[in-house]
Each structure stands twice: as structure tokens, then as C-alpha cells.
Amino acid sequence: MEWGVVVAADRGAEWLLKWWWNCYRRHHNQPVAFVDFGMSEEARKWCKARGKVIPFEGGNFVKEKEKLSSKLQQKWEGIYGVKVWEARRSWFKKPLAMLQSPFEKSVWMDLDCEVCQPIDGIFEGVEKGMLGAVRVERGQYNSGVVVFDQEAPLLHAWAKACLEEHGDAIGDETVLSKIIRKNKHPFKELEREYNWMMGWGYHPEIKVAHWAANWGKICIETMGGIQKFLANAME
């Protein structure tokens, strides 16, 4: 079975590319497709030297802050801060980018996800036409790591809903979780080790550490992630 990894970056996230790549390549040689959400030319050249660069075909469809009610603006900024508006432009593009994957089976990863161990086992129990993700709390799923193929009905439903509901939902995960809860499409709940939120703390079985939120990016910048931190601690 051919499988590969799909990631995406714009100018705001492209600083994570080299870090993500180095973590991934410690454990895997499977091909990588880089979806261009608006990278700089320098970043595009860097990606082309390492994998396939795919221009995003969905355009900029996400409703901007000024077109939303003041109530929603205050609510969402209260959760994520003012950076939520930039992040939303990428969040809702995610399932559409997945539909552009060139691989038979794919793993989507956010760039703040650190591959700490081989992840071959992530496909266990994920049948053709099925999408898999990690449940982070009751009824809520995180899209930082997703396994899928383009035939998965859940992926198509998610992409359609993101195109339609970006003015009502804060992000793609809200949309995805709502669809999963309806239980109408084949879905596989992945083990948490494949998308371990670092806010949960540390344990040695983590396969993919997800450095979500602003504090996670600070940890990446200052200590380089789990593997680098542990290596330095052992010296």
C-alpha cells in the first residue's frame, strides 16, 4: 500500500517546515506532499526539493472578521486571541487540501505535530473509504493528525460543510466533530498516541506530539520539541 503525508503552509506557518521535516525524517521515508496555502517563493523552493508542491485550489473563501457579528468576534477572540482570524483562513481549507492528496492512503499533519516514533500502525483498522482522527474530549475531535483516502464520505461531507459553515463555526474541528457525532459516515477513532496533545503532559509512548496553541509554538522555538529536549537532558 502506498501512503504518504500531506502538510500545508502559508507565510505565517512556513517557519515550522524545516523543524517538522527533520522530526518526520528521523522515522520515515514515505513521500510528502506540501499544499501551498500562500508560502513565500523561498519556502516553495525548499518544499519542491523534498516533495510534491500542490497549489491549493479552493481559493480564499473564509469569512473575514469584519463580516461577522460583534458577538462572534468577541467570543472567538476570547478563546484564541486576535490570531484566530489568520488561523481560520487555514483551518477551513484543511479538508479541501486533503482532497488534493496524490496518495492512495494519506496522513494529514499540522506542522506543529512532532513525529516521535514510527507511525506505520496508524492505518490499523482504517478501511477503504474511512477517515480516522483522535478524540480529545467527549464528542470533540482534533484534526492535527488525520488518516484518510479521497473516497471517504466523511472527508467529502467535512469539506462541503467547511465551505458552507465557516461563518458560523470557529474552525474546521467544530465542523468535523459535529459530523462525526451524527454517526452517518465510516469513521475510525485513532489511539491518542498518534495525536498527543502536549497539554496532557508527557509519556514515553507518544508517537506524534501535537504542540497546539501559542505556548506550544514557543516550546518548539525554545527547546525544539520533545526529542531534542530529551537528547539534551541525557547529555
Side-chain angles (χ1 to χ4, degrees), residues 34 58 92 107 117 146 148 167 183:
F34 301 88
F92 285 101
V107 179
Q117 297 186 44
V146 177
F148 65 97
N183 198 29

Side-chain angles (χ1 to χ4, degrees), residues 125-153:
V126 181
E127 301 174 359
K128 190 171 181 62
M130 187 177 285
L131 180 146
V134 167
R135 178 171 54 87
V136 291
E137 56 183 282
R138 184 176 182 179
Q140 298 298 319
Y141 296 83
N142 185 272
S143 61
V145 178
V146 177
V147 295
F148 65 97
D149 64 60
Q150 278 87 342
E151 295 183 19

Side-chain angles (χ1 to χ4, degrees), residues 157-169:
W158 182 22
K160 182 176 183 292
C162 281
L163 286 169
E164 296 173 348
E165 300 177 22
H166 55 87
D168 302 309

Side-chain angles (χ1 to χ4, degrees), residues 176-189:
L176 176 63
S177 297
K178 183 172 69 173
I179 298 172
I180 292 172
R181 289 195 298 269
K182 291 180 179 179
N183 198 29
K184 292 182 177 180
H185 305 294
F187 172 73
K188 170 68 176 179
E189 185 171 312

Side-chain angles (χ1 to χ4, degrees), residues 106-224:
S106 304
V107 179
W108 168 276
M109 276 196 200
D110 289 355
L111 288 177
D112 57 1
C113 289
E114 177 185 1
V115 179
C116 301
Q117 297 186 44
I119 61 169
D120 307 76
I122 198 170
F123 292 101
E124 292 180 7
V126 181
E127 301 174 359
K128 190 171 181 62
M130 187 177 285
L131 180 146
V134 167
R135 178 171 54 87
V136 291
E137 56 183 282
R138 184 176 182 179
Q140 298 298 319
Y141 296 83
N142 185 272
S143 61
V145 178
V146 177
V147 295
F148 65 97
D149 64 60
Q150 278 87 342
E151 295 183 19
L154 178 53
L155 175 59
H156 288 264
W158 182 22
K160 182 176 183 292
C162 281
L163 286 169
E164 296 173 348
E165 300 177 22
H166 55 87
D168 302 309
I170 190 170
D172 67 292
E173 292 174 350
T174 304
V175 176
L176 176 63
S177 297
K178 183 172 69 173
I179 298 172
I180 292 172
R181 289 195 298 269
K182 291 180 179 179
N183 198 29
K184 292 182 177 180
H185 305 294
F187 172 73
K188 170 68 176 179
E189 185 171 312
L190 302 178
E191 296 178 3
R192 283 188 166 190
E193 286 77 10
Y194 289 108
N195 185 6
W196 185 266
M197 311 303 293
M198 288 308 295
W200 295 337
Y202 171 76
H203 78 81
E205 299 302 318
I206 296 172
K207 293 181 173 65
V208 180
H210 192 169
W211 296 96
N214 292 335
W215 69 267
K217 312 306 181 293
I218 293 171
C219 289
I220 292 173
E221 286 187 284
T222 56
M223 71 180 194

Side-chain angles (χ1 to χ4, degrees), residues 54-79:
I54 302 174
F56 178 67
E57 296 178 350
N60 294 314
F61 62 88
V62 181
K63 187 173 287 188
E64 297 290 341
K65 173 182 177 179
E66 295 73 20
K67 295 183 179 180
L68 297 168
S69 69
S70 58
K71 182 178 180 180
L72 275 182
Q73 292 179 33
Q74 293 172 6
K75 179 181 178 180
W76 293 349
E77 285 187 5
I79 298 172

